[in-house]
Amino acid sequence: MKDNQVKTADGKVFFDSNILVYYADESDARKQKIATALIKDAIDSGSGVISTQCLQEFYNVVTKKLLCDKQKAKKMVEMFSNNLPVVKISVPLILSAVDISIKSQFSFWDSLILSAADDTGCATVYSEDLNDQQIVGGARIQNPFAA
């Protein structure tokens, strides 16, 4: 396995929205290549999971910050949602996120990602923004771009 590849065979993996954004971000070829490989591997193996929150954040970031065409961004949202199971954010997930936020001091939005990952039994949460290698619930946070 190459240094920039992460093994997904150990269980389900959850993608934070920033990984989805790098899939579309042509300004950082290294991160785009890693994100694309992770997402493709997760689709091929059936191991990837995302949430409605991730899709919303993805669309917002790529259209506002990356200035991606809205129709192109919509097609990527459709591709992600057609190929990866999507967790719908519910009141129980929100309450769990509040508990995670209180215990961990993570922001509510980051805690909602972790809540959704925990609820779906993901072993790994891929995120650039969270504490690399920290375990929250049953999932290990992994920054796939870390050296």
Side-chain angles (χ1 to χ4, degrees), residues 113-147:
I113 293 287
L114 295 167
S115 175
D118 187 52
D119 188 64
T120 54
C122 290
T124 303
V125 175
Y126 290 125
S127 178
E128 182 181 46
D129 297 337
L130 299 171
N131 299 333
D132 190 36
Q133 300 306 312
Q134 183 174 352
I135 297 173
V136 178
R140 178 181 301 277
I141 298 165
Q142 188 155 1
N143 179 348
F145 312 120

Side-chain angles (χ1 to χ4, degrees), residues 62-79:
V62 298
T63 58
K64 301 274 192 220
K65 291 185 181 177
L66 301 183
L67 304 177
C68 182
D69 174 77
K70 290 181 178 182
Q71 284 299 324
K72 183 178 177 184
K74 179 183 177 189
K75 289 197 180 299
M76 284 186 273
V77 168
E78 289 172 336
M79 186 278 296

Side-chain angles (χ1 to χ4, degrees):
M1 178 166 34
K2 295 179 184 173
D3 289 342
N4 66 348
Q5 291 179 320
V6 181
K7 188 175 178 185
T8 59
D10 292 338
K12 290 195 270 183
V13 298
F14 195 96
F15 292 103
D16 193 348
S17 56
N18 53 56
I19 308 301
L20 303 182
V21 168
Y22 281 117
Y23 175 90
D25 188 357
E26 297 175 357
S27 71
D28 191 327
R30 178 184 157 275
K31 288 184 179 180
Q32 184 181 40
K33 182 178 178 182
I34 292 168
T36 300
L38 286 172
I39 292 167
K40 182 183 181 319
D41 183 50
I43 290 170
D44 290 347
S45 68
S47 63
V49 180
I50 56 177
S51 68
T52 52
Q53 173 192 358
C54 294
L55 293 172
Q56 294 165 342
E57 290 176 358
F58 167 81
Y59 180 83
N60 187 54
V61 170
V62 298
T63 58
K64 301 274 192 220
K65 291 185 181 177
L66 301 183
L67 304 177
C68 182
D69 174 77
K70 290 181 178 182
Q71 284 299 324
K72 183 178 177 184
K74 179 183 177 189
K75 289 197 180 299
M76 284 186 273
V77 168
E78 289 172 336
M79 186 278 296
F80 292 136
S81 62
N82 287 335
N83 289 285
L84 297 166
V86 179
V87 176
K88 293 180 179 140
I89 300 304
S90 64
V91 172
L93 288 179
I94 292 168
L95 293 173
S96 172
V98 170
D99 289 339
I100 291 169
S101 179
I102 290 167
K103 287 181 197 173
S104 69
Q105 300 301 306
F106 282 125
S107 75
F108 169 76
W109 300 111
D110 289 341
S111 297
L112 193 54
I113 293 287
L114 295 167
S115 175
D118 187 52
D119 188 64
T120 54
C122 290
T124 303
V125 175
Y126 290 125
S127 178
E128 182 181 46
D129 297 337
L130 299 171
N131 299 333
D132 190 36
Q133 300 306 312
Q134 183 174 352
I135 297 173
V136 178
R140 178 181 301 277
I141 298 165
Q142 188 155 1
N143 179 348
F145 312 120

